[in-house]
Amino acid sequence: VPNRLALADAPNREDFTDGAPRRLSYAELDREVDRVATLIRARGAVAGDIVVYQLPNIVESAILFLACARAGVVASPLLVQFDSNEIDYVVGKLQPRLFIAGRFKTRDLAANAAPICEKAGCTLIRAEELLAGDAAPEPVAPSGRDGDDVVTICWTSGTEGRPKGVMRTANNWFVTGRNMVHGAALGDGEVILNIRPLVNMAAIGGSFMSWLATASTLILHHPLDIGL
């Protein structure tokens, strides 16, 4: 369904991050994933490397998740609420090749991570630098990894201690997504509103993977605006 709407930003995207709201068909999404996967490899990441990123719920967060998988690198998305203490811990544990971050409301996430990345020797990339461009991409060569290789390291909230990194393979995620499709009786081409942070089990397993399994439309939303 290349012409079906695949992804859409919240209409108020500009209230909490950079860039106008975007809407991508499946064909446009495929091209964007190829382009970003190529850029990830061009920045020195090879199969099995780790890419950490800290973005709100925007189209680019979904593109980046898929581009990491296509490039054969391990995606490790972080909550936008994570600050220097949590980021320093995560980067110290993972030793990632790349750290990608943007803006969330009044916080410059990339600037916040810069000294941590410099100390750890990982390359910091601003989201707009990596995820902007109009060049037509070439198809990405297969990485040689498969569904039983780790594809993500997601982090618990750390409410009672340090966040904990949870490794999952692509097949782990696919099973979770198919269970959600079955449990919610989802059919082809649904419209799924994702209000949860696109960083761990609830959103990736519940919304993201069921979206892919049913070729649905995923509407992204970033919640918790209490006027502060």
Side-chain angles (χ1 to χ4, degrees):
V1 286
N3 296 320
R4 181 179 292 172
L5 179 63
L7 271 174
D9 274 320
N12 68 329
R13 169 178 168 144
E14 291 171 294
D15 292 343
F16 58 86
T17 196
D18 298 318
R22 301 177 67 188
R23 296 167 67 88
L24 297 178
S25 68
Y26 272 97
E28 291 167 332
L29 173 62
D30 187 46
R31 289 194 294 270
E32 282 290 280
V33 170
D34 266 344
R35 186 177 59 78
V36 174
T38 299
L39 288 170
I40 288 171
R41 288 182 174 177
R43 294 304 179 92
V46 299
D49 279 347
I50 297 172
V51 174
V52 175
Y53 57 91
Q54 190 177 29
L55 299 172
N57 277 6
I58 53 176
V59 161
E60 287 85 355
S61 61
I63 293 170
L64 193 48
F65 184 103
L66 295 169
C68 285
R70 190 167 286 182
V73 301
V74 178
S76 188
L78 303 182
L79 286 164
V80 291
Q81 287 86 355
F82 276 16
D83 212 336
S84 299
N85 183 54
E86 293 89 355
I87 293 170
D88 187 58
Y89 177 74
V90 167
V91 169
K93 284 289 186 184
L94 297 185
Q95 295 296 303
R97 177 74 64 181
L98 305 176
F99 192 111
I100 301 164
R103 175 183 70 83
F104 181 63
K105 296 186 176 180
T106 60
R107 295 176 60 215
D108 187 335
L109 304 176
N112 187 58
I116 298 169
C117 290
E118 183 176 4
K119 180 180 69 174
C122 71
T123 300
L124 176 68
I125 301 172
R126 286 189 169 272
E128 61 268 26
E129 178 186 350
L130 183 65
L131 300 169
D134 300 319
E138 295 292 330
V140 176
S143 67
R145 291 167 64 80
D146 63 30
D148 289 324
D149 288 315
V150 172
V151 71
T152 59
I153 301 174
C154 296
W155 296 86
T156 63
S157 59
T159 50
E160 297 178 353
R162 291 285 197 181
K164 302 166 193 65
V166 181
M167 297 182 289
R168 284 191 172 270
T169 69
N171 285 336
N172 288 150
W173 284 123
F174 289 149
V175 168
T176 302
R178 292 184 188 282
N179 286 341
M180 180 61 70
V181 170
H182 175 74
L186 297 177
D188 177 75
E190 303 277 6
V191 176
I192 298 172
L193 175 64
N194 179 64
I195 64 171
R196 296 166 293 200
L198 195 57
V199 300
N200 52 28
M201 176 58 74
I204 298 174
S207 300
F208 192 87
M209 290 297 164
S210 56
W211 160 60
L212 293 177
T214 55
S216 291
T217 296
L218 186 66
I219 308 297
L220 297 173
H221 171 64
H222 206 101
L224 193 60
D225 183 355
I226 56 176
L228 295 179

